[in-house]
Amino acid sequence: MSAKLNRFLKWIFGGVPVTKVAVQISQTPPSSCLEGKVILITGGGRGIGYTLAEKFHAEGAKVILCGRNLQTLEQSSAQLNHCPYLPLDVSQPESFSNLFQEAEKLAGNPINVLVSNAGISLHEHSFEEVKESDFDQQFDTNLKGPYFLCQTFVKYLMSQPTCPGDIRGKILFISSERGFCSDTIPYGLTKAALNSFMQGLAKHYISKGIRTNAIAPGVTASDMTQLDKNDDLFREDNIGGRALIPEEVAEAATFLLSDAASSINGCILPCNLGNHIK
């Protein structure tokens, strides 16, 4: 009897097997590896952004949360020892002009790290159903906003005094595994372009003391994916068999922003159990 037929008969008489996955990871204990870093995080009020902020704060960094929802920022700030926050809609570049100066006043120190995390996906199922307004919304938030936010940050960093050979600052993008794939859906297209943009920045500005990298998570439990990290995270379509949890992304981000990663520039680090190579 073939293996497929045997499995089919088992399903008929025993029911379709159910696989459930819960995720528990080892996290590095706080070691003050981000002490001296003053980090502005977009989309920092919830989801992956909040988990990044929580980890960075535990590692000794000063954190400034940015996001669109003031109430969410207030709640998240209170949970992080009342860290500073600024309302920000990354799809509105006209609001960026004094952002880092305002953040510097709140933090009491110059901003030396930007984590560009804010992003949206409208989860279209096919090319045929994409609307122009939805296309524009995703490109404005996921690509145009980060593009001009980084332009503003680079100008801000270049105005800061530094010694030859010193790192002026760091930029970290939260991209997506979708950026590695061919795509017809706006979300994936924005992430592919974001990866190219990141590497362009890395190439042109490392000589100016600005180190730039990205993390490309797979499907991660968050508000955007409507997955709870405490629920069943089994995903049959992922070669690793499960979705990620935000803490895994935060571990990778902490390393890339630490001085231990001083030689890493222009890296797109997949954080998806290798799902992009399937």
Side-chain angles (χ1 to χ4, degrees), residues 16-255:
V16 177
V18 176
T19 303
K20 291 187 177 181
V21 174
V23 179
Q24 292 183 334
I25 66 166
S26 285
Q27 293 179 268
T28 55
S31 61
S32 300
C33 69
L34 296 183
E35 192 170 349
K37 309 294 187 292
V38 187
I39 306 174
L40 185 144
I41 307 175
T42 66
R46 59 183 184 176
I48 291 176
Y50 175 78
T51 303
L52 294 175
E54 189 175 41
K55 177 66 175 176
F56 299 161
H57 178 75
E59 291 292 351
K62 291 187 176 181
V63 176
I64 302 93
L65 304 178
C66 289
R68 292 183 296 181
N69 189 299
L70 182 58
Q71 183 177 3
T72 299
L73 290 174
E74 290 172 344
Q75 292 172 349
S76 298
S77 169
Q79 293 169 346
L80 293 174
N81 198 30
H82 299 282
C83 72
Y85 59 88
L86 285 169
L88 179 72
D89 183 347
V90 297
S91 69
Q92 304 296 323
E94 63 272 13
S95 65
F96 299 163
S97 57
N98 294 313
L99 174 66
F100 295 103
Q101 288 79 3
E102 292 176 24
E104 180 178 332
K105 290 178 183 178
L106 289 174
N109 294 97
I111 312 304
N112 52 29
V113 179
L114 169 63
V115 176
S116 181
N117 165 72
I120 59 169
S121 172
L122 300 183
H123 305 295
E124 299 96 339
H125 295 293
S126 71
F127 171 63
E128 288 86 353
E129 71 177 59
V130 175
K131 300 175 183 177
E132 183 179 357
S133 59
D134 294 343
F135 180 98
D136 289 343
Q137 186 180 354
Q138 290 171 93
F139 267 78
D140 285 349
T141 302
N142 298 351
L143 182 60
K144 181 180 177 181
Y147 183 94
F148 286 103
L149 183 63
C150 286
Q151 182 188 75
T152 304
F153 185 54
V154 166
K155 290 179 179 178
Y156 169 81
L157 288 179
M158 296 299 286
S159 71
Q160 304 295 320
T162 186
C163 298
D166 283 358
I167 291 294
R168 291 177 184 269
K170 302 170 186 177
I171 300 172
L172 180 67
F173 292 94
I174 306 302
S175 182
S176 167
E177 66 179 4
R178 292 281 292 274
F180 292 115
C181 309
S182 58
D183 215 328
T184 57
I185 304 302
Y187 178 78
L189 297 175
T190 63
K191 295 302 184 177
L194 192 71
N195 288 349
S196 176
F197 172 53
M198 182 282 294
Q199 291 185 321
L201 286 176
K203 175 183 176 181
H204 291 290
Y205 284 98
I206 187 61
S207 63
K208 306 292 185 182
I210 301 173
R211 187 159 65 82
T212 311
N213 291 293
I215 294 175
V219 174
T220 305
S222 66
D223 296 331
M224 187 171 76
T225 59
Q226 298 181 337
L227 291 175
D228 189 302
K229 68 180 182 180
N230 297 312
D231 291 342
D232 177 21
L233 295 180
F234 174 69
R235 287 187 67 87
E236 187 176 14
D237 57 342
N238 190 311
I239 65 171
R242 66 171 176 87
L244 285 296
I245 61 174
E247 286 80 1
E248 294 175 285
V249 182
E251 289 290 322
T254 298
F255 168 68

